[in-house]
Amino acid sequence: MRNYLLSKCLLFFVAASFLFVPANVHAHGLLTNGNQGYEVSALQEKLKKMGFFYGPVTGYFGAITERAVADFQYKTNLSSDGVAGPATFLMLNDIEQMARVVHGEARGESYIGKVAVAAVILNRLDDPAFPNQIGDVIHQTNAFTAVHDGQYDLQPSSYAYHAVMDAMQGWDPTYGSVYYYNPELATNTWIFSRPSVTKIGNHLFAQ
């Protein structure tokens, strides 16, 4: 998690290249109070799914949207100025990717089981054996079944987003695990050699 927050600062200037950033964000790279258009609607929709925006999606960036952006920034350790810039869009994109993995891998699990999957993604960021960016961790070859079998493309539930947010704020029911698997379904015998840490629902979590 520490390395993750540092990487957010280092990658601030490239955030506009990530998928979530709307193609026509205003020329100065920011969405702020008084802006309007489909970019604002997309921002409102995303914040609504994540539980930060409660008003109607209007496409107008007013006080409600500003407050939602500031709350999101505060919860994700960004500067909570209420202005949606590259770092905010990058964080939104990371959370979207994580929620898709959580939904695909653990939608049949308990809420704590969903948080656990999100925690594994974050734990990998601090492990030198894995990439140090969310997108790279998620799309690493054969890292997550859901990415390769199409479940990643499903629309995440609100529980998936909330589980990601809880994990990002430090809840780790896996105690630092970087692997998980279903012992009833796993076919790769290598995973059985990893030291088990805990079992949550159908998943064993391991180091």
Side-chain angles (χ1 to χ4, degrees):
M1 186 61 179
R2 293 187 298 275
N3 291 340
Y4 173 61
L5 294 175
L6 176 61
S7 71
K8 299 297 96 180
C9 297
L10 294 176
L11 287 178
F12 183 91
F13 69 98
V14 297
S17 66
F18 282 73
L19 295 176
F20 179 78
V21 181
N24 293 320
V25 169
H26 292 255
H28 54 347
L30 306 174
L31 288 177
T32 189
N33 204 318
N35 290 151
Q36 56 187 323
Y38 79 89
E39 304 101 328
V40 178
S41 294
L43 175 64
Q44 291 172 333
E45 288 277 10
K46 188 61 61 178
L47 291 168
K48 196 178 190 75
K49 290 175 183 176
M50 296 181 185
F52 292 95
F53 182 76
Y54 300 100
V57 175
T58 62
Y60 176 76
F61 198 125
I64 296 175
T65 305
E66 184 176 52
R67 182 71 262 164
V69 170
D71 288 345
F72 171 79
Q73 292 167 330
Y74 177 77
K75 290 288 189 179
T76 54
N77 294 306
L78 297 175
S79 177
S80 54
D81 56 9
V83 175
T88 299
F89 285 116
L90 177 57
M91 186 69 77
L92 286 164
N93 186 62
D94 282 352
I95 292 172
E96 176 68 26
Q97 292 184 82
M98 289 179 65
R100 287 178 177 274
V101 173
V102 169
H103 185 71
E105 298 272 325
R107 67 181 176 276
E109 298 293 321
S110 65
Y111 184 73
I112 191 173
K114 293 175 174 62
V115 176
V117 169
V120 165
I121 297 172
L122 294 177
N123 290 338
R124 290 186 178 189
L125 293 177
D126 287 334
D127 189 315
F130 297 92
N132 60 4
Q133 300 300 323
I134 289 289
D136 293 338
V137 167
I138 287 172
H139 294 285
Q140 190 174 25
T141 302
N142 298 323
F144 297 99
T145 301
V147 175
H148 303 286
D149 68 8
Q151 295 184 81
Y152 179 81
D153 297 323
L154 299 174
Q155 175 58 51
S157 68
S158 60
Y159 294 111
Y161 290 110
H162 294 162
V164 171
M165 293 303 303
D166 278 340
M168 293 189 74
Q169 291 176 74
W171 185 10
D172 182 6
T174 77
Y175 305 102
S177 297
V178 292
Y179 298 103
Y180 65 90
Y181 61 98
N182 185 328
E184 300 298 323
L185 301 176
T187 57
N188 185 340
T189 56
W190 173 85
I191 194 65
F192 294 107
S193 70
R194 307 307 301 177
S196 296
V197 176
T198 188
K199 188 174 190 295
I200 302 173
N202 294 310
H203 288 142
L204 271 176
F205 292 82
Q207 292 285 1

